[in-house]
Amino acid sequence: MSNRLIKILVPAISIILGLLVGAIVMLFSGYDPIAGYIALWNGIFGDSYAIGETIRQISPYILAGLAVAFAFRTGLFNIGVEGQLMVGWFASAYVGSAFTLPMYIHLPFALLAAAAAGALWGLIPGILKATLRVHEVIVTIMMNYIALHVVNALIKTVSGGSYKTERIQPTASLRSEFLSNLTDYSTLHYGIFVALAMVVVMWFILEKTKTGFELKSVGFNENASQYAGMSVKKNIILSMLISGAFAGLGGAMEGLGTFGSMTNQGGFTGIGFDGIAVALLGANAPLGIIFGASLFGSLKYGANNMPNAAGIPLEIVSIVIALIIFFVACGYIIRVGLQRLNKKKEAK
């Protein structure tokens, strides 16, 4: 059994185990797991509208997963994706509503504003890590809360005391009449193509550029990289910048696509935190993140059908997701089990 096959089997087995144990939880809670999973399936693939909404839900998860995975691949743990996503959401909504420009300028400008805002929010922990060796986990966690309250204050400021920004101009919107009509008037938008393009960008940076090689090298061993002539500080800061830019674009999916504005937030969106699980499930690989985001986006949207169709509360789906994350975290045990099984087969 090749190492590549084991890498594929570990998350697949984690998902299956999570669903199986989730079914047991439903059974012991007095719910029908078969009816529950049928309702979940119909909520995801039941009709063209559900499919459109599911794909729309996947878009920000891909970008949040990329943000976490990029930092992971370069030796950093960016828990601040949630805050970076929120400032990106605000920046895209503000630029989208405050300017009147042709679409070929306005939409890229709003997307770049979101990426820049997320990158700026990632820059701060990057600088502190590079210069003062302050652990990025501590700083990024605190930056999430700062982002939440700063964004709420900015929304009130730019809207004249209101709790919602103005609606973005049509020239800055990712909404697609074609995709909406194709999926029975769902809110599916062009953001999915932006997200998939960023998957290619991450792969290209890490696998095909000198910069990507240096970023990974610094993540593996700072001392060896410095001895080889690489700038450790520069690469740490650059890693957090790029990671934050991906997260900021995740916010643009909401600001320019799903909602077309931003309202005062009472708490976190959860997308950034789920991005950690998406990255783990996708083994921090660009292609794997697409599958990880597809799973989480599908579960999140399809779960909305479970209370009505099967009488199962949304909390049960949260338990299933938590179980999948748990088994992904236990991936080492699954990997060892597969390797031992493989050795037994080879011995026979």
Side-chain angles (χ1 to χ4, degrees), residues 332-347:
Y332 177 75
I333 298 171
I334 297 171
R335 184 185 298 273
V336 169
L338 289 171
Q339 288 172 344
R340 286 185 177 180
L341 184 65
N342 188 43
K343 285 180 181 178
K344 286 182 181 179
K345 285 184 178 180
E346 288 177 353

Side-chain angles (χ1 to χ4, degrees), residues 47-229:
D47 51 37
S48 58
Y49 177 85
I51 292 170
E53 290 295 330
T54 299
I55 296 172
R56 187 267 306 162
Q57 185 80 39
I58 290 167
S59 304
Y61 279 107
I62 291 176
L63 288 158
L66 290 175
V68 176
F70 192 91
F72 271 152
R73 291 284 297 274
T74 55
L76 298 169
F77 193 4
N78 183 9
I79 301 185
V81 171
E82 180 70 27
Q84 293 150 18
L85 184 143
M86 292 183 75
V87 296
W89 183 352
F90 172 79
S92 66
Y94 175 73
V95 171
S97 62
F99 298 91
T100 303
L101 298 165
M103 188 172 190
Y104 62 88
I105 296 175
H106 202 180
L107 180 54
F109 182 30
L111 288 170
L112 285 172
L120 178 64
W121 218 251
L123 175 66
I124 298 169
I127 290 174
L128 290 173
K129 169 77 172 183
T131 58
L132 301 175
R133 309 307 296 172
V134 180
H135 204 289
E136 72 276 6
V137 170
I138 298 169
V139 180
T140 51
I141 287 173
M142 293 190 293
M143 293 293 288
N144 284 334
Y145 290 93
I146 296 170
L148 173 64
H149 296 295
V150 166
V151 165
N152 283 340
L154 287 172
I155 289 171
K156 285 186 179 181
T157 301
V158 301
S159 63
S162 176
Y163 290 94
K164 183 179 180 180
T165 63
E166 292 183 17
R167 188 150 192 86
I168 62 170
Q169 303 287 342
T171 51
S173 178
L174 285 167
R175 285 291 183 92
S176 165
E177 188 176 345
F178 168 72
L179 292 177
S180 180
N181 292 336
L182 191 66
T183 54
D184 196 21
Y185 304 104
S186 75
T187 55
L188 179 62
H189 51 75
Y190 287 126
I192 186 64
F193 300 110
V194 175
L196 292 175
M198 291 304 105
V199 171
V200 177
V201 168
M202 175 176 162
W203 169 81
F204 184 79
I205 291 173
L206 290 178
E207 305 299 335
K208 298 296 180 180
T209 66
K210 176 188 172 185
T211 300
F213 175 80
E214 289 190 2
L215 287 168
K216 289 188 293 182
S217 178
V218 170
F220 283 129
N221 193 316
E222 291 185 8
N223 295 326
S225 300
Q226 190 167 15
Y227 183 76

Side-chain angles (χ1 to χ4, degrees), residues 42 46 65 113 125 131 152 167 170 229 273 296 323:
N42 290 333
T131 58
N152 283 340
R167 188 150 192 86
F273 296 122
F296 274 78
L323 286 167

